[in-house]
Amino acid sequence: MATKVYIVYYSMYGHVEKLAQEIRKGAASVDGVEAILWQVPETLQEDVLSKMSAPSKSDAPIITPNDLAEADGFVFGFPTRFGMMAAQFKAFLDATGGLWRTQQLAGKPAGIFYSTGSQGGGQETTALTAITQLVHHGMIFVPIGYTFGAGMFEMENVKGGSPYGAGTFAGDGSRQPTELELEQAFHQGKYIAAITKKLKGPAVA
């Protein structure tokens, strides 16, 4: 039976979604891993999104809290709002009380990725404040540390991400994830998928 890794994200302008797509590719590159993209429900009305110039959502399926129980591992992604995860993702996690009561997610590995508007906008605090959600579910936080190698020490160009996970800078919205940021996202997906597979262990006949 394949090891299932769910890449669950919220993306308003597409930056987080681009990282999510690369993370899925990285996870799927691990033999025996099935990597699936999911997006959390939008909480804003269409007229509000239109005024914010938000593009239409992709065709990635909308996840429900109960869907989480089927996965062996996760990578959660969201844009930052004042140094914390966007309310849309928090609202989704707030609806996982049933899973919390039965601890169905306990012991499952999870990583975090994100997008911020600026270099001081929460590349570390967004992940740091999100870890509390994992802790209450008993999940195992899997940071990438410095496993991305030389890419972690890029100093000549602006690069998102940190030892907590892959990241990008949206700026005024026109900046898109760079090749290096996408490579880091691919690495994170591959890294977490390998750990998830290892923790799941071989199937017992």
Side-chain angles (χ1 to χ4, degrees):
M1 184 178 295
T3 297
K4 288 187 177 182
V5 174
Y6 285 2
I7 298 90
V8 186
Y9 70 94
Y10 173 74
S11 188
M12 179 172 283
Y13 295 107
H15 299 81
V16 171
E17 184 168 67
K18 288 185 177 179
L19 295 180
Q21 291 167 346
E22 287 301 310
I23 289 172
R24 190 204 68 78
K25 292 177 185 176
S29 73
V30 177
D31 185 52
V33 169
E34 180 183 4
I36 304 174
L37 279 178
W38 298 87
Q39 54 184 330
V40 302
E42 179 60 78
T43 59
L44 297 177
Q45 299 297 321
E46 285 297 330
D47 59 330
V48 175
L49 292 170
S50 178
K51 290 177 181 178
M52 298 175 72
S53 300
S56 299
K57 300 295 183 185
S58 72
D59 57 1
I62 304 297
I63 195 168
T64 67
N66 287 339
D67 289 323
L68 294 175
E70 301 174 4
D72 299 301
F74 309 93
V75 196
F76 298 126
F78 29 77
T80 186
R81 299 291 185 265
F82 302 111
M84 302 177 70
M85 69 172 65
Q88 288 86 343
F89 208 96
K90 182 59 167 62
F92 170 73
L93 291 176
D94 284 349
T96 62
L99 298 175
W100 167 76
R101 282 192 296 272
T102 54
Q103 287 292 287
Q104 291 187 63
L105 305 182
K108 295 185 178 185
I112 294 169
F113 63 105
Y114 39 80
S115 172
T116 68
S118 65
Q119 293 187 63
Q123 287 282 312
E124 292 193 347
T125 61
T126 302
L128 184 62
T129 54
I131 292 173
T132 60
Q133 311 295 309
L134 310 184
V135 169
H136 282 263
H137 275 289
M139 288 187 276
I140 303 169
F141 175 52
V142 181
I144 60 172
Y146 284 83
T147 60
F148 186 48
M152 295 296 295
F153 299 94
E154 171 60 44
M155 297 293 286
E156 298 301 319
N157 299 293
V158 174
K159 185 193 80 68
S162 72
Y164 289 94
T168 189
F169 296 110
D172 61 3
S174 61
R175 183 186 186 277
Q176 296 299 312
T178 65
E179 188 63 33
L180 187 58
E181 290 170 341
L182 294 175
E183 288 175 6
Q184 185 177 39
F186 183 95
H187 169 77
Q188 182 176 19
K190 184 176 182 179
Y191 181 72
I192 292 181
I195 290 176
T196 301
K197 181 180 177 181
K198 185 182 296 185
L199 288 175
K200 183 179 180 182
V204 179

